[in-house]
Amino acid sequence: MEEVCLNSEPVFDEGDDYEVEGDSSAVGCDDETGENCSKKERPEPTVGLEFDSFDEAYDFYNVYAKEQGFGIRVSNSWFRSKRKERYRAKLSCSSAGFKKKSEANNPRPETRTGCPAMVVIRLVDSKRWRIVDVELEHNHPVNPQIKRFYKSHKRMVLAAKKAQPPPEPVTEVHTIRLHRRALMNTGCNVYLNVDERGHVDHVDHFKYLELKEGDALAVYNYFCRMKLTNPNFFYVMDLDDEGRLRNVFWADARSRVAYGFFCDTVTIDTTCLANRYEIPLISFVGVNHHGQSVLLGCGFLGHESMEYFVWIFRAWIKCMQGHLPQVIITDQNKPLQSAVSEVFPNARHCYNVCCIIQRVPERLGGLQGYEAIKRQLNKAVYNSLKIAEFETSWADMIKCHGLGDNKWLQTLYEERQAWVPVYLKDIFFVGMIPIQEDESLNAFFDGYVHKHTSFKEFVDKYDLALHCKHMKEAMADLESTNSSYELKTRCNFEVQLSKVYTKEIFRKFQSEVEGMYSCFNTKQLRVNGQIATYVVKERVEVAGSEKEVRHFEVLYDTSQADIRCICSLFNYKGYLCRHALNVLNYNGVEEVPSRYILPRWAKDYKRRGLLDHNSGDVDVDNPIYWHNLLYRYAIPVVEVGAGSSDHYKIALQELEKLLNNFNLAEDNLV
């Protein structure tokens, strides 16, 4: 690590008055010569540059701004509430945003332009500040030859004055420590390396996992222990030519069996990668018959490149004997998108709307009228029933707030068909994307993994996390099998599905049955052959206690018992909505058609043997196949055996007898 000196001459008269906004930035003087460093040795703000303090990061951007001809200010800061410690900040061009309208008789003219230029810095490892986002383009002219009096530049001279003895001339001196670190430039999807002089070089070679002392041994010992105790535990490691660990993938026996049941829709969770956690964890998550998240495999990724994603995806599919998911949900990530296209060309690939909405405060928080922008954005995303409604709502938001030059919003709009719910109505999501503003989805390891969790800590917590999830599923199985559900209406739909659905899924469907009573004025609009179009009116809450009447179109084919609502709740969640139920009831239909009762939500789903184990592409002599099939047949024994004391005694007795028979068979072989 080498210190880079950033010196330049003041661009304004030292006697000018000024006001200090926010915290003053201390400037250290480590260079007695006062010589100017060459601009060629001074890097532009780049994602991944690190500094020893917030002040150094501020000074670095301030000096860069002065050279380019613009001022800066701290437009946003994030603090930890308990310690009041700043951990994130957004440094923007002084022309960012807009000033509040003044009611004075002679208000000052508007000088801001809503400029998007900025850097976002974040505290990492509780000691260094790293640039995590950069926008260098301005929406107004900048010229270093124009000697404009920016307050941020005046602050530099004030600090330099205080730092030096009175007789000495005032000289700007800033010492910025640039830490050597490999990182990924999200704009061009290649790796960069900041050298000790601040130069940025492209790196073609692959990275490997950065393991601390004891991490590698802990991971290896865990895999060996699991393989000894459970032959169906799967793991594979990717090593480079020098034997360094690049990628890891593994899946335990339960995950491999669960994949057979719940591989229709899968989320590839890269939260730890996006947030730069210490462990580069990637997890494959599905939804079980209770609507609970279920783990379908895990991995550690050396870095976020298409090649590495492809490797871990192929390891996952090999582990699952070649069975492919139908729908894949990921974060908005170009290398990830390319890898999904290559390995799963026939799967529907969508972006996780939660991840996108969570970035709104960071991306748009510094704009004037942010709260209004946020409301309009959420309305466009969550309240649009038709594509035309979304297009109109989005265009109004852009026009009203002057957001036509916002590159992030431009990218979101260009890729809207991959994440906006109204474009995804034909995809079956089993509840894995939110369709309402107040919905949220937690990561599978939420509460078990934090930013500084090490590899060694994670393998210790991994078993605990899975144990808790398995216990939760087992309790849900027992409640669904042994409990009788409380009915809240006299509707036959509720009675019918109470005998089929698991408890949690029935509770959600029951909410739709109750919601039928908030619908009114079901009316037939037109008939085209066997297909009739209805409109169902519903009073829905829009803000607080306010309600508005919305119109939902429902198509009903009497010959095929086929019904579709414009809200598309069945595809999003897997059960019929209140609007469709109203139309069925209007037509005298007393039971939900069987095609709308999905087996994957049934209490006895795992007992039905839905997997086609006799298909030609399955190796029936493979021990993995034996394990999965035996496990499938053992599930109903456990579930029924735990239902009562008598069943428990019978199951335990028969299992003990079976194990004794295995021991006798092995003795005869010897």
Side-chain angles (χ1 to χ4, degrees), residues 353-397:
V353 64
C354 274
C355 295
I356 292 174
I357 296 300
Q358 285 171 0
R359 295 192 182 104
V360 169
E362 178 181 319
R363 293 286 188 168
L364 307 179
L367 300 179
Q368 183 183 29
Y370 164 69
E371 292 298 332
I373 295 172
K374 181 181 177 182
R375 284 194 299 272
Q376 284 189 262
L377 178 63
N378 286 336
K379 181 180 178 181
V381 172
Y382 293 115
N383 291 358
S384 299
L385 292 175
K386 298 180 180 180
I387 290 176
E389 292 179 13
F390 171 80
E391 296 285 348
T392 300
S393 185
W394 186 276
D396 288 345
M397 176 189 70

Side-chain angles (χ1 to χ4, degrees), residues 555-575:
L555 301 180
Y556 180 47
D557 186 343
T558 56
S559 63
Q560 302 293 328
D562 190 11
I563 191 163
R564 299 181 185 181
C565 178
I566 196 170
C567 79
S568 200
L569 184 73
F570 180 76
N571 280 349
Y572 291 140
K573 303 292 187 180
Y575 45 83

Side-chain angles (χ1 to χ4, degrees), residues 431-449:
M432 295 195 76
I433 65 165
I435 58 173
Q436 294 180 353
E437 186 177 342
D438 57 354
E439 284 187 79
S440 61
L441 302 173
N442 294 327
F444 185 87
F445 290 105
D446 190 35
Y448 297 94
V449 175

Side-chain angles (χ1 to χ4, degrees), residues 104-115:
N105 293 330
N106 296 306
R108 293 182 179 180
E110 177 63 77
T111 58
R112 298 184 184 178
T113 64
C115 180

Side-chain angles (χ1 to χ4, degrees), residues 87-148:
Y87 68 91
R88 191 182 185 94
K90 182 178 181 181
L91 310 180
S92 299
C93 171
S94 57
S95 296
F98 298 92
K99 293 182 179 179
K100 294 182 179 179
K101 293 183 179 179
S102 174
E103 297 180 359
N105 293 330
N106 296 306
R108 293 182 179 180
E110 177 63 77
T111 58
R112 298 184 184 178
T113 64
C115 180
M118 58 83 199
V119 298
V120 176
I121 57 176
R122 187 171 64 186
L123 186 65
V124 295
D125 300 331
S126 300
K127 57 183 178 180
R128 294 197 305 275
W129 286 82
R130 180 185 304 160
I131 296 179
V132 296
D133 197 6
V134 173
E135 174 57 62
L136 298 180
E137 297 298 324
H138 298 260
N139 63 1
H140 58 92
V142 293
N143 188 342
Q145 303 304 319
I146 299 177
K147 308 299 184 183
R148 183 173 175 181

Side-chain angles (χ1 to χ4, degrees), residues 254-299:
R254 286 179 179 267
S255 294
R256 302 183 76 179
V257 172
Y259 184 87
F261 290 106
F262 309 116
C263 67
D264 44 6
T265 301
V266 177
T267 290
I268 301 176
D269 188 350
T270 54
T271 302
C272 293
L273 300 177
N275 295 330
R276 297 293 186 265
Y277 279 28
E278 189 166 323
I279 54 169
L281 176 68
I282 178 172
S283 52
F284 303 85
V285 182
V287 168
N288 67 12
H289 53 312
H290 301 288
Q292 302 167 342
S293 60
V294 56
L295 190 66
L296 306 176
C298 276

Side-chain angles (χ1 to χ4, degrees), residues 93 111 180 192 194 206 234 277 318 340-341 343 377 411 481 553 557 564 568 574 589 611 613 622 641:
C93 171
T111 58
R180 181 181 178 89
L192 301 176
V194 182
F206 292 142
F234 179 98
Y277 279 28
K318 181 179 180 180
V340 169
S341 298
V343 182
L377 178 63
T411 300
T481 303
E553 291 185 12
D557 186 343
R564 299 181 185 181
S568 200
V589 178
L611 297 178
H613 292 282
N622 191 325

